[in-house]
């Protein structure tokens, strides 16, 4: 049986797979009907067209390297058809020689559907994983963005959530090269609201945009962009909870219908993931946080305290627990009502949060009682300052329903490890110290200190007293004369500081200078000494006594960048002759 060449061509054209032949320059010298229909080109148009011209730059590079290096006999590529649709193809090829010319015979399989299914399955699997692996919503939103990057161009990507009760929109995740993240606002007539209200996806182009404006369906919001795609996020009951939006300000990637279909396919999974994470967070919040104030509750405070104790034990650190009880809170409830009492508790909670460091924990213990966990405490004096700030600053100027209230509180302090090595003991002892504050007149704070020896108490007393002493100028200088050995005459004086502590009397430097060094109070104290000595030296000079005045400088002062300026300013302001000022760096 004789079969003519045209019969072979008819047979090849009817195959359910593509065939093309390339020459050594990758120009198409033959193609069958399947391939031309797949990419929407006429067969005669394809002849002598370079196959590489049908690919984008990256795909062309992959194809060229693959053929040149003979990596394998198969290769998966994506190619854009003439009607701007992406097709995914698998090439199986062989090189052969005919009449001393080299050709590449390739058989093409259309794997577009397979590719889309694999991508969709992969996305759904990864989103399901993200629900369980991420602990917070911000991480989940970032995961969703990363996962969708495998589907389409989502460089400019945002998630909008609708609050139908308040008729408002929030943007918990927003990445855009031109616009800043919008704050929550009442619904307007933007593209986002259009998708939310219709519950339908919108693949935008310039004509559709103009028509939506013309029909008054939308109003321009943000930077103009017509290459935009929005897909609603719906729950299984059909309720729209939000939407995902992507846009591209350039023409290097134009969103297509297949992009919309892919995002639609995974949108239900995304909606479920967000709703489930929000529900999980809400359940966790109800279990671990106070509903009225938003502070941690007893259970979470106790857990954090136990964790802090374990860390402190390993690192040899100090933990402090404060127990705070509002004085006369019952009066506010009885005279102004429970709503005013609740408002007061919220204000107090906010003020306590403002007072502490980022890593500290403030808890509503119950009623009008609060606890504070302060891990890794360096100086007890800092705790005293905190208590004073709470009582004397934060609790002042509290206004409820137009009425200014005088709020006071009693605070108890327990310190790990000396006041207890377990969470229960520390809380119990801080509570006991709080009641001591109440018994002694309220509006004050006290340490739990049954076993603290007198030296520790003395140090604590000095440490907290030093802060006030500088403000109140409780220090004075005495001058020790210096004799010249040859003349046996007074040639100068060395300035020595004394602290006239109101409740004790005059203290020598060894009692408080080491504490001032540790707390860095030596810096303002040293500056005060320099100025006072310069003033005194000037007085001696004015009376005709050209005596030197020696000033002790600590290492911390010496390492200060501004020590030179402090000395210069003191000399300039007093007019003292600098030849008669001696600085001694203490050992």
């Amino acid at each position: 049986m004789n079969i003519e060449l045209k019969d072979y061509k008819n047979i090849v054209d009817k195959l359910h797979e593509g065939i093309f032949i390339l020459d050594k320059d990758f120009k198409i010298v033959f193609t069958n009907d399947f391939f031309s229909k797949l990419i929407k080109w006429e067969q005669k148009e394809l002849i002598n067209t370079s196959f590489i011209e049908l690919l984008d730059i990256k795909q062309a590079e992959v194809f060229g390297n693959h053929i040149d290096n003979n990596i394998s006999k198969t290769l998966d590529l994506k190619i854009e058809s003439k009607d701007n649709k992406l097709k995914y193809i698998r090439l199986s090829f062989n090189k052969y020689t005919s009449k001393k010319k080299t050709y590449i015979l390739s058989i093409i399989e259309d794997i577009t559907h397979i590719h889309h299914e694999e991508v969709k399955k992969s996305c759904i699997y990864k989103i399901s994983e993200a629900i369980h692996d991420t602990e917070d919503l911000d991480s989940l939103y970032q995961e969703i963005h990363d996962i969708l990057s495998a589907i389409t161009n989502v460089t400019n990507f945002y998630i909008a959530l609708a609050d139908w009760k308040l008729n408002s929109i929030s943007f918990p995740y927003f990445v855009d090269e031109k616009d800043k993240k919008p704050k929550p606002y009442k619904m307007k007539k933007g593209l986002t609201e259009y998708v939310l209200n219709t519950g339908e996806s919108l693949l935008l182009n310039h004509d559709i945009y103009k028509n939506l404006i013309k029909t008054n369906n939308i109003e321009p919001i943000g930077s103009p962009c017509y290459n935009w795609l929005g897909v609603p996020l719906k729950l299984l009951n059909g309720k729209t909870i939000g939407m995902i939006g992507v846009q591209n300000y350039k023409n290097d990637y134009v969103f297509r219908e297949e992009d919309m279909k892919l995002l639609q396919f995974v949108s239900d999974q995304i909606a479920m993931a967000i709703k489930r994470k929000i529900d999980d967070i809400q359940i966790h919040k109800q279990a671990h946080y106070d509903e009225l104030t938003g502070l941690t509750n007893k259970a979470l405070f106790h857990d954090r305290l136990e964790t802090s104790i374990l860390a402190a034990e390993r690192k040899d650190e100090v933990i402090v627990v404060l127990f705070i009880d509002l004085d006369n809170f019952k009066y506010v409830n009885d005279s102004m009502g429970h709503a005013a009492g609740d408002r007061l508790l919220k204000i107090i909670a906010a003020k306590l949060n403002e007072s502490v460091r980022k890593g500290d924990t403030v808890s509503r213990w119950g009623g009008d009682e609060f606890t504070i966990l302060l891990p890794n405490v360096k100086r007890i004096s800092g705790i005293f300052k905190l208590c004073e700030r709470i009582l004397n600053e934060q609790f002042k100027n509290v206004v409820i329903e137009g009425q200014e209230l005088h709020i006071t509180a009693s605070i108890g302090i327990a310190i790990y490890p000396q006041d207890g090595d377990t969470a229960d003991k520390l809380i119990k002892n801080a509570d006991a110290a709080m009641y001591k504050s109440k018994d002694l007149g309220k509006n004050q704070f006290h340490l739990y200190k049954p076993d603290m020896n007198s030296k520790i108490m003395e140090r604590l007393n000095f440490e907290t007293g030093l802060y006030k002493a500088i403000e109140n100028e409780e220090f004075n200088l005495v001058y020790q004369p210096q004799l010249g050995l040859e003349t046996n005459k007074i040639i100068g004086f060395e300035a020595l500081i004394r602290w006239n502590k109101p409740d004790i009397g005059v203290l020598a430097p060894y009692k408080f200078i080491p504490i001032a060094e540790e707390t860095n109070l030596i810096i303002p104290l040293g500056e005060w000494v320099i100025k006072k000595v310069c003033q005194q030296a000037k007085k001696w000079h004015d009376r005709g006594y050209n005596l030197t005045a020696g000033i002790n400088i600590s290492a911390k002062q010496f390492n200060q960048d501004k020590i030179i300026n402090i000395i210069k300013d003191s000399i300039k302001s007093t007019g003292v002759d600098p030849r008669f000022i001696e600085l001694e760096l203490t050992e």
Side-chain angles (χ1 to χ4, degrees), residues 538-582:
K538 174 62 175 168
K539 289 179 182 178
W540 288 332
H541 299 162
D542 290 345
R543 293 177 184 176
Y545 301 109
N546 292 327
L547 301 171
T548 60
I551 305 172
N552 290 310
I553 303 293
S554 77
K556 285 197 173 180
Q557 284 177 278
F558 189 74
N559 287 324
Q560 251 193 311
D561 291 337
K562 62 178 185 177
I563 183 65
I564 300 299
N565 290 332
I566 290 172
I567 295 168
K568 282 183 176 179
D569 291 344
S570 297
I571 291 172
K572 185 177 180 181
S573 64
T574 59
V576 69
D577 188 335
R579 290 179 302 159
F580 298 103
I581 300 297
E582 291 184 350

Side-chain angles (χ1 to χ4, degrees), residues 453-569:
N453 61 47
S454 58
K455 286 187 179 179
I456 294 175
M457 285 307 301
E458 181 183 63
R459 179 184 169 84
L460 291 173
N461 186 25
F462 288 173
E463 193 173 328
T464 189
L466 271 172
Y467 287 93
K468 289 183 178 179
I470 292 175
E471 294 177 8
N472 300 336
E473 293 197 6
E474 296 173 5
F475 298 97
N476 62 282
L477 296 174
V478 296
Y479 294 91
Q480 180 173 282
Q482 296 172 328
L483 296 177
L485 294 178
E486 292 180 356
T487 63
N488 201 33
K489 291 183 180 180
I490 296 175
I491 58 173
F493 293 87
E494 179 182 3
L496 302 173
I497 192 168
R498 298 291 185 267
W499 180 10
N500 189 12
K501 199 169 187 303
D503 58 338
I504 295 177
V506 178
L507 296 176
Y510 77 90
K511 286 277 191 178
F512 61 89
I513 289 296
I515 299 172
E517 290 269 6
E518 289 179 26
T519 58
N520 283 330
L521 286 171
I522 194 67
I523 292 172
L525 184 57
E527 185 174 348
W528 178 85
V529 170
I530 291 170
K531 289 179 180 178
K532 288 294 183 182
V533 173
C534 287
Q535 288 172 1
Q536 182 60 54
K538 174 62 175 168
K539 289 179 182 178
W540 288 332
H541 299 162
D542 290 345
R543 293 177 184 176
Y545 301 109
N546 292 327
L547 301 171
T548 60
I551 305 172
N552 290 310
I553 303 293
S554 77
K556 285 197 173 180
Q557 284 177 278
F558 189 74
N559 287 324
Q560 251 193 311
D561 291 337
K562 62 178 185 177
I563 183 65
I564 300 299
N565 290 332
I566 290 172
I567 295 168
K568 282 183 176 179
D569 291 344

Side-chain angles (χ1 to χ4, degrees), residues 36 38 85 93 106 161 202-203 324 451 499 547 557 571:
S36 64
L38 177 68
K85 292 186 177 179
F93 49 83
S106 184
L161 296 181
L202 176 61
L203 178 59
I324 304 170
D451 299 318
W499 180 10
L547 301 171
Q557 284 177 278
I571 291 172

Side-chain angles (χ1 to χ4, degrees), residues 21-119:
I21 299 174
L22 308 178
D23 65 13
K24 64 181 179 62
D25 297 319
F26 302 145
K27 285 185 178 180
I28 300 172
V29 295
F30 173 81
T31 177
N32 72 342
D33 195 42
F34 179 91
F35 179 61
S36 64
K37 286 181 178 178
L38 177 68
I39 62 172
K40 306 298 182 185
W41 283 60
E42 296 288 337
Q43 281 189 12
K44 60 183 180 181
E45 291 180 292
L46 289 172
I47 302 301
N48 289 325
T49 297
S50 172
F51 179 67
I52 287 178
E53 291 179 9
L54 302 177
L55 306 172
D56 64 28
I57 295 174
K58 289 183 179 179
Q59 294 289 289
E61 187 178 344
V62 170
F63 175 76
N65 289 337
H66 205 86
I67 299 297
D68 291 342
N69 298 317
N70 199 24
I71 295 173
S72 70
K73 299 297 183 182
T74 61
L75 175 65
D76 290 349
L77 292 172
K78 64 178 178 181
I79 187 169
E80 187 174 345
S81 64
K82 234 181 181 180
D83 57 355
N84 296 322
K85 292 186 177 179
L86 279 178
K87 298 293 181 180
Y88 293 84
I89 58 176
R90 180 164 294 156
L91 305 182
S92 302
F93 49 83
N94 274 299
K95 289 183 180 181
Y96 71 93
T97 302
S98 176
K99 296 179 181 180
K100 297 183 179 181
K101 291 184 178 182
T102 300
Y103 296 95
I104 300 169
L105 171 64
S106 184
I107 298 173
I108 303 164
E109 181 185 356
D110 181 8
I111 60 169
T112 304
H113 180 72
I114 296 171
H115 172 81
H116 286 169
E117 289 302 312
E118 287 177 351
V119 168

